[in-house]
Amino acid sequence: MPPETNPPPAFDVVVVGAGPAGSAAALEAARAGLSVALLERGPYPGAKNVYGGVVYGRILDELVPDWWEHMPVQRWVTRRSTMLLTGSQALTVDFRTEDWGRPPYNGATAFRAELDGWLARLAEEAGAVLVPSTTATGLLRDAAGRVTGVRTDRPGGDLTARVVIACDGVNSFLAKEAGLFAKVPGRQAEHTSLGVKETLALPREVIEERFALSGRHGQDIEILGCTGGIPGGGFLYTNLESVSVGVVLSVTGLAASGERPEAVLAGLKEHPAIAPLLRGAELKEYSAHLIPEGGHDTMPELVGDGILVAGDAAAMCLAAGIWLEGVNYALGAGMYAGRAAASAVAAGDTSRAGLAGYRRLLEDSFVLADHRRLRRVPGLVFSDRVQRSYPGLLCEVAQGFFTVDNPRPKPGLRRLLSDAARRRGVRVRHLLSDAFTSARSFR
């Protein structure tokens, strides 16, 4: 009697989550000729996403050539601002360039409901099978513990695969079940923020007048000092006929404060530097979303036996004060995960060793290079001095610098900085230490 053999897997690759990371992974794996299932727990890709933010498309040059001719875009970001707030002051560094308003572009505001659908369609056109309204509830394993697929909430809905790519978002249950978070220091809540956002409708011509824009040009404003002492920050983005305004708040800081996130957001909207930009706007949508902001040192292991992790599931969000980026890292990681899976399947080795090429691809790219270089910045950005002291200190210095106080002579910058630091309890050694950390990170 011949020995029993296990049936072949239903798919070469099962990708869990049809966000940017998942669709990029499915697209690359399908292009390589693999059989691919792309699972999405919403009724369609983007159904549960209410994000309106900035997408940086440079990685799309490699994934989808001439992407700017096809991607659903609200506005091209040609104006990039960083704003520091106190209760009555605002100090803004404002940069704009016409170069970002023409191909190949730099960044764009977009709606995830549209972006995710577009990316998933590309994966389907390449041969991936989209399975919507389906939640992966756990992992399938063989006798040796190697991942061999996923369980789903469908009756008899187990899906076997040579490789599972977990792109199931922040707080990834699949990555945790695979044991890939075992070595991450601290509690996950300590490395997680809550983003709350409102989409406010305004006529297109009003947006362009208030933000000094024209055509499809748009503005991205990142804000510090607007969260009432809770570690975090704020943002304001322009869409075609709406603006997205919100705050990102440390989960543990928010819990300790006793504040409601919508109250913090309301405070930002009422600030004298922000309120005139939103006057007369109509609320169209309110949303909340968890964001992994711990950076490089809080990432899980990215490779296991039969499993890869990408995007928010792998904590690939860069929260570095000047930059708050996630979609581009998800796209890059997903693309490399799809390539690594294809290579491993072709070689007949989907063990941890056979899939190790994924990590090498990430290390040779911007995905891990950026996170590694900026690994100290999340700790600096969320520190008490940056959150509570520096916005007021810098606003006070700016106000003193531009105040005309005749008949007194104009004070020097060193004196203004020294006086403001003393009044706010900031020691020179703290300024030097934080300046050194910044210089090492942003060099």
Side-chain angles (χ1 to χ4, degrees):
M1 185 174 180
E4 290 186 7
T5 59
N6 292 323
F11 292 92
D12 293 318
V13 175
V14 167
V15 182
V16 180
S23 289
L27 175 58
E28 280 295 288
R31 281 176 173 170
L34 303 189
S35 58
V36 180
L38 177 59
L39 272 59
E40 168 54 43
R41 62 187 173 93
Y44 56 87
K48 64 185 187 301
N49 296 109
V50 282
Y51 154 109
V54 179
V55 178
Y56 296 97
R58 202 72 302 115
I59 188 62
L60 286 171
D61 294 344
E62 189 174 350
L63 187 65
V64 187
D66 299 330
W67 56 271
W68 56 83
E69 297 180 3
H70 312 287
M71 190 179 92
V73 166
Q74 288 290 302
R75 290 183 181 271
W76 302 108
V77 175
T78 57
R79 190 176 177 191
R80 179 67 167 77
S81 306
T82 300
M83 181 181 290
L84 303 178
L85 297 184
T86 69
S88 60
Q89 299 165 306
L91 174 63
T92 304
V93 177
D94 186 22
F95 175 76
R96 63 191 306 160
T97 174
E98 293 296 303
D99 292 341
W100 291 349
R102 51 179 172 260
Y105 300 102
N106 178 62
T109 55
F111 293 136
R112 277 284 301 273
E114 298 173 352
L115 177 71
D116 288 15
W118 172 68
L119 288 168
R121 284 193 298 274
L122 294 179
E124 285 188 277
E125 291 167 4
V129 177
L130 178 64
V131 187
S133 301
T134 302
T135 300
T137 59
L139 296 171
L140 301 174
R141 299 175 184 265
D142 62 16
R146 192 186 74 85
V147 173
T148 57
V150 296
R151 300 190 184 281
T152 77
D153 58 353
R154 288 174 176 262
D158 291 357
L159 291 176
T160 55
R162 291 181 168 85
V163 181
V164 171
I165 303 178
C167 304
D168 49 333
V170 63
N171 198 33
S172 169
F173 293 107
L174 297 183
K176 288 181 177 180
E177 186 177 337
L180 300 180
F181 273 94
K183 297 180 181 178
V184 175
R187 297 176 298 133
Q188 188 171 5
E190 296 169 354
H191 315 307
T192 304
S193 295
L194 175 68
V196 293
K197 183 209 74 176
E198 290 182 359
T199 299
L200 305 172
L202 281 170
R204 179 171 180 170
E205 60 273 15
V206 172
I207 291 173
E208 291 170 1
E209 180 180 356
R210 289 184 185 176
F211 292 87
L213 304 170
S214 61
R216 295 294 289 273
H217 290 201
Q219 184 173 11
D220 163 13
I221 306 174
E222 305 292 342
I223 309 166
L224 193 62
C226 62
T227 53
I230 302 169
F235 58 85
L236 175 58
Y237 308 130
T238 58
N239 307 307
L240 267 179
E241 296 182 325
S242 66
V243 296
S244 300
V245 60
V247 291
V248 178
L249 306 167
S250 159
V251 168
T252 53
L254 179 63
S257 74
E259 293 283 339
R260 294 288 303 174
E262 61 269 27
V264 180
L265 176 53
L268 171 60
K269 291 167 57 182
E270 293 167 0
H271 192 279
I274 302 298
L277 300 174
L278 307 180
R279 187 175 58 252
E282 178 186 359
L283 177 63
K284 305 299 284 188
E285 177 183 85
Y286 176 87
S287 60
H289 179 66
L290 290 176
I291 304 170
E293 293 202 330
H296 181 277
D297 294 342
T298 65
M299 288 183 181
E301 294 182 66
L302 303 176
V303 182
D305 286 319
I307 186 169
L308 301 174
V309 189
D312 277 2
M316 291 175 177
C317 181
L318 186 67
I322 297 174
W323 301 296
L324 178 57
E325 302 174 20
V327 172
N328 49 340
Y329 293 98
L331 288 167
M335 180 177 73
Y336 296 130
R339 291 180 184 178
S343 296
V345 169
D349 182 5
T350 57
S351 67
R352 183 187 300 263
L355 290 167
Y358 174 51
R359 174 120 198 160
R360 290 192 293 271
L361 287 169
L362 293 177
E363 288 175 341
D364 291 340
S365 77
F366 74 103
V367 178
L368 286 187
D370 285 355
H371 280 87
R372 186 184 305 108
R373 182 166 63 89
L374 297 165
R375 66 196 307 167
R376 300 178 186 87
V377 176
L380 175 63
V381 169
F382 287 96
S383 69
D384 280 347
R385 288 192 296 277
V386 171
Q387 290 288 324
R388 298 174 183 270
S389 301
Y390 289 169
L393 185 151
L394 293 173
C395 284
E396 184 177 336
V397 169
Q399 181 164 314
F401 193 75
F402 293 115
T403 296
V404 177
D405 197 17
N406 302 148
R408 296 179 182 178
K410 296 185 183 300
L413 187 58
R414 177 186 292 182
R415 176 186 157 193
L416 287 169
L417 182 59
S418 175
D419 289 349
R422 185 180 66 255
R423 281 191 289 270
R424 294 180 178 275
V426 177
R427 297 178 181 273
V428 172
R429 62 183 175 87
H430 293 155
L431 285 169
L432 293 176
S433 172
D434 293 340
F436 180 67
T437 300
S438 297
R440 289 179 64 190
S441 300
F442 294 110
R443 67 184 187 278

